[in-house]
Amino acid sequence: MRPIEENSQVQDELEVLEEQPLYEHYRITVDKGQVPLRVDKFMFEKLQHSSRNRIQKAADAGFVHVNEKPVKSNYKVKPGDVVTLMLDRPQYDTTIQPEEIPLEVVYEDDVLMVINKPAGMVVHPGCGNFHGTLVNAVAWHLRNNPGYDPNDPEVGLVHRIDKDTTGLLVIAKTPEAKSNLGLQFFNKTTHRSYLALVWGNMEEETGRIEGNIGRDPRDRLRMAVFPPDSENGKPAATNYRVVERFGYTTLIECMLETGRTHQIRAHMRSVGHPLFGDERYGGTEILRGERSSTYKAFIMNCLKLCQRQALHAQTLGFVHPVTGEQMDFTSSIPPDLNAVIEKWRQYIKGYVYKKLNIDS
């Protein structure tokens, strides 16, 4: 076999590869207090939607750079290093464009809007959802407002809810309103409650779940709960009260003290009560109940009625940033979740009726 340097075709291909432009997708300067750490582990901790295996493959392909030079996965970062991810394709344009998408506007004035978000709508572009988001819809709704720039981070979303969670969100039209509302959320003076259907019979009528929430090291698309005194994750607390019991499931109201990603979903799973229908956290499995084919069919029908986690942002309260008035909003239970709740009501009524007949 001829050596590579003498094979003109292979050499040409290598030169083309070397000349291929690379585009910066990620950049971070290592903190002064950083201890030596493998670059693949360092990036794994910083990049929310990537696995360590993918980062290692990127390094093998020459896409992980430190101080403008490609490095291998075992390179140990040190304070002051500039770590970049350079890929052979440009970044997706995340400029927010107005899109004519229907919005359910619950309230609107000159400085803010309250919106009732449907299931399936992502609130902000990113991670494969670059169109059809809530902010695209808001941009269209406010397209004739010269003071509202959807690409200005000083206006827009004040808080977020998950794609398949329904319910209330507040949008700030001015920087002053966003700053004011953001401070209320930070100081925990806002009032938010969620309605959730969870697996299992909650033992206590009321309770509080406390535990840090951070990325699950085994699944970067899921959050995990760590001890409150842990160095992992951020502090989070969820209060709940039982609304209605269905034997094998429980309808609860959750009141948030903090607003971490997937907070209710992760907290409820951590105490053995995943949200009904929450595929990512195990809620599509039959976790409680009978082994009969009739019961299995009943659960399958419930999951078809509500093809998402059974979670609804039902109430939202805050002080108006201009008038100082207390603003409180309530969103009715969406049809899909309401249908599942009603189905469980009928199931438990039938179960009790059957048991009474047997006992008598």
Side-chain angles (χ1 to χ4, degrees):
M1 179 181 291
R2 296 175 63 188
I4 289 179
E5 59 268 25
E6 294 180 9
N7 189 323
S8 59
Q9 181 178 355
V10 173
Q11 186 68 29
D12 288 345
E13 290 176 354
L14 288 172
E15 289 176 357
V16 169
L17 183 62
E18 290 175 357
E19 293 174 1
Q20 188 174 11
L22 297 179
Y23 303 88
E24 183 178 307
H25 281 239
Y26 169 83
R27 169 183 290 262
I28 188 170
T29 301
V30 180
D31 293 337
K32 293 181 180 179
Q34 175 68 52
V35 298
L37 186 68
R38 284 176 57 115
V39 69
D40 58 341
K41 187 174 182 181
F42 176 80
M43 294 182 71
F44 173 68
E45 292 177 352
K46 300 295 182 181
L47 293 172
Q48 294 184 351
H49 299 285
S50 190
S51 66
R52 192 167 176 180
N53 181 256
R54 290 180 64 186
I55 293 169
Q56 289 171 344
K57 287 182 178 179
D60 291 341
F63 293 152
V64 174
H65 291 203
V66 175
N67 303 326
E68 301 184 356
K69 294 182 179 179
V71 296
K72 296 300 181 183
S73 299
N74 61 357
Y75 174 89
K76 291 189 175 181
V77 299
K78 58 183 182 297
D81 276 350
V82 179
V83 180
T84 54
L85 177 63
M86 309 293 294
L87 298 181
D88 55 358
R89 60 186 183 278
Q91 278 190 306
Y92 195 96
D93 184 8
T94 56
T95 302
I96 297 167
Q97 300 294 338
E99 295 180 29
E100 191 173 3
I101 303 167
L103 278 177
E104 183 182 344
V105 179
V106 176
Y107 173 84
E108 182 174 11
D109 60 27
D110 292 340
V111 300
L112 62 85
M113 299 169 59
V114 175
I115 294 168
N116 192 28
K117 188 188 83 67
M121 176 182 276
V122 176
V123 296
H124 195 279
C127 301
N129 298 286
F130 297 104
H131 299 286
T133 73
L134 181 73
V135 294
N136 294 116
V138 171
W140 177 269
H141 183 83
L142 299 177
R143 64 192 183 282
N144 296 322
N145 182 340
Y148 185 83
D149 178 1
N151 293 288
D152 182 356
E154 293 189 347
V155 296
L157 285 169
V158 180
H159 60 120
R160 304 184 183 195
I161 58 178
D162 297 336
K163 173 183 177 181
D164 288 324
T165 299
T166 53
L168 299 170
L169 285 164
V170 61
I171 305 290
K173 294 183 181 181
T174 68
E176 294 78 14
K178 186 168 184 179
S179 177
N180 182 289
L181 290 166
L183 193 60
Q184 291 185 51
F185 275 87
F186 178 79
N187 290 331
K188 305 175 185 177
T189 58
T190 57
H191 305 286
R192 287 181 291 165
S193 72
Y194 291 71
L195 198 64
L197 182 67
V198 301
W199 276 105
N201 188 31
M202 304 291 290
E203 292 184 7
E204 304 294 334
E205 288 295 317
T206 62
R208 184 174 187 269
I209 305 169
E210 186 177 2
N212 291 9
I213 291 181
R215 291 283 164 189
D216 188 333
R218 294 170 296 181
D219 184 348
R220 300 294 284 178
L221 298 179
R222 192 169 65 184
M223 306 304 286
V225 178
F226 303 92
D229 58 353
S230 171
E231 295 181 357
N232 295 318
K234 296 180 180 179
T238 303
N239 298 289
Y240 69 86
R241 72 173 185 89
V242 171
V243 176
E244 196 169 352
R245 297 181 183 276
F246 305 120
Y248 302 132
T249 58
T250 308
L251 186 65
I252 62 173
E253 180 185 18
C254 296
M255 289 71 70
L256 301 181
E257 291 184 23
T258 53
R260 307 303 181 198
T261 302
H262 295 187
Q263 177 170 322
I264 295 173
R265 300 166 67 186
H267 266 171
M268 297 313 300
R269 179 178 184 270
S270 73
V271 295
H273 297 282
L275 268 63
F276 188 84
D278 192 346
E279 184 175 8
R280 182 150 291 160
Y281 290 88
T284 53
E285 302 293 328
I286 300 178
L287 301 178
R288 303 287 196 283
E290 305 167 11
R291 296 183 178 181
S292 68
S293 58
T294 302
Y295 180 74
K296 183 178 179 180
F298 164 75
I299 296 299
M300 293 300 107
N301 286 333
C302 286
L303 293 171
K304 287 178 181 178
L305 286 173
C306 186
Q307 300 179 26
R308 61 183 181 91
Q309 65 265 13
L311 185 62
H312 175 59
Q314 188 172 37
T315 69
L316 174 63
F318 54 86
V319 174
H320 194 283
V322 175
T323 67
E325 177 187 359
Q326 177 64 38
M327 310 288 287
D328 292 297
F329 303 93
T330 301
S331 169
S332 59
I333 304 173
D336 60 346
L337 179 54
N338 192 58
V340 170
I341 293 171
E342 187 57 37
K343 201 166 184 65
W344 273 104
R345 284 194 185 116
Q346 296 304 316
Y347 175 84
I348 200 65
K349 284 180 182 178
Y351 180 85
V352 171
Y353 179 77
K354 181 180 178 181
K355 184 172 177 60
L356 287 172
N357 283 344
I358 291 173
D359 291 344
S360 60

